């Protein structure tokens, strides 16, 4: 691997290390005995609503692959996620250049707000940016104003900005360093 590009990665739990430690202590005993047990968490459709053409977003989604509400969260899966977050918090020492694309802001809450069409409604972007810096020695964080949780599913003008930033990073870190990738993505889309 010559480089790594991450799009809105989940690098830490909302609430940071304290929330992660508390949840881990609650989940660990159940994960060993009942890993398939479903966790009862608040279910919101904000992310789906921000991207789905059926709700004001731009994308025609397959309901089986991307339902309005999240897939059930199992105790064993959450246990693995929390263990991964603990490793990320210690630092991963990735040796290749890393690009983290992310929204410039988060918006979370119990009720839908139209501003959620231009924010990450899934993850805490401040925590994401802080954790990203511990991924390796060469990490670039690109905060995309108006970006959604999955930056590359944002509206066309925001997507164009994200691809411009991606292109600049590829030109600087991959092509200039002889990464052998060829031409960067054309404006407005990936190759």
């Amino acid at each position: 691997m010559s480089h790594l590009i991450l799009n809105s990665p989940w690098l830490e739990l909302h609430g940071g290390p304290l929330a992660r430690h508390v949840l881990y202590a609650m989940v660990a005993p159940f994960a060993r005995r009942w890993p398939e047990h479903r966790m009862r968490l608040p279910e919101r459709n904000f992310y789906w609503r921000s991207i789905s053409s059926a709700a004001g977003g731009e994308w025609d989604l397959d309901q089986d692959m991307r339902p309005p509400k999240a897939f059930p969260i199992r105790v064993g899966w959450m246990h693995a996620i929390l263990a991964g977050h603990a490793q990320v918090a210690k630092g991963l020492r990735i040796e290749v250049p890393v690009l983290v694309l992310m929204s410039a802001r988060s918006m979370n809450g119990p009720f839908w707000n139209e501003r959620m069409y231009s924010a990450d409604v899934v993850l805490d972007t401040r925590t994401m940016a802080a954790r990203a810096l511990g991924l390796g020695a060469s990490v670039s964080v690109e905060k995309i104003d108006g970006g959604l949780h999955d930056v590359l599913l944002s509206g066309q003008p925001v997507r164009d900005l994200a691809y411009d930033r991606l292109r600049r990073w590829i030109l600087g870190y991959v092509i200039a360093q002889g990464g052998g990738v060829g031409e960067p993505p054309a404006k407005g889309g990936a190759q």
Side-chain angles (χ1 to χ4, degrees):
M1 173 171 62
S2 63
H3 59 283
L4 177 62
I5 299 168
L6 302 172
N7 181 10
S8 303
W10 189 18
L11 302 175
E12 179 64 271
L13 198 65
H14 273 281
L18 179 60
R20 177 172 26 91
H21 291 300
V22 169
L23 186 57
Y24 190 84
M26 292 170 37
V27 165
F30 293 99
R32 285 189 281 278
R33 296 197 62 172
W34 304 289
E36 296 291 320
H37 182 73
R38 182 178 177 176
M39 295 180 68
R40 302 286 179 214
L41 299 171
E43 292 186 26
R44 298 185 180 107
N45 68 352
F46 300 161
Y47 175 60
W48 176 86
R49 195 169 174 177
S50 70
I51 62 173
S52 175
S53 60
E58 202 174 304
W59 302 95
D60 184 22
L61 303 177
D62 180 335
Q63 295 285 334
D64 293 330
M65 301 298 288
R66 176 78 267 184
K69 296 195 177 170
F71 290 104
I73 296 175
R74 308 290 179 188
V75 173
W77 179 83
M78 182 56 74
H79 184 260
I81 292 295
L82 296 170
H85 285 168
Q87 288 180 331
V88 170
K90 292 176 185 174
L92 296 185
R93 297 183 191 97
I94 296 172
E95 295 180 8
V96 299
V98 178
L99 172 64
V100 176
L101 292 170
M102 59 184 286
S103 178
R105 68 187 184 98
S106 296
M107 191 164 188
N108 202 348
F111 305 107
W112 172 259
N113 183 304
E114 292 296 311
R115 293 180 300 168
M116 291 179 171
Y117 282 120
S118 61
D120 189 321
V121 296
V122 178
L123 301 176
D124 177 1
T125 57
R126 281 184 263 176
T127 303
M128 184 189 312
R131 281 287 179 254
L133 297 177
L135 293 174
S138 180
V139 177
S140 301
V141 175
E142 290 288 348
K143 295 181 178 183
I144 310 298
D145 194 35
L148 297 175
H149 164 63
D150 182 332
V151 173
L152 299 178
L153 291 182
S154 300
Q156 190 66 55
V158 175
R159 228 174 24 249
D160 288 345
L161 174 61
Y163 278 114
D164 284 344
R165 303 267 185 94
L166 176 58
R167 189 177 301 104
R168 179 179 66 190
W169 187 84
I170 288 172
L171 288 170
Y173 277 105
V174 180
I175 295 174
Q177 295 178 2
V181 170
E183 291 298 314
K187 188 169 187 110
Q191 290 182 341

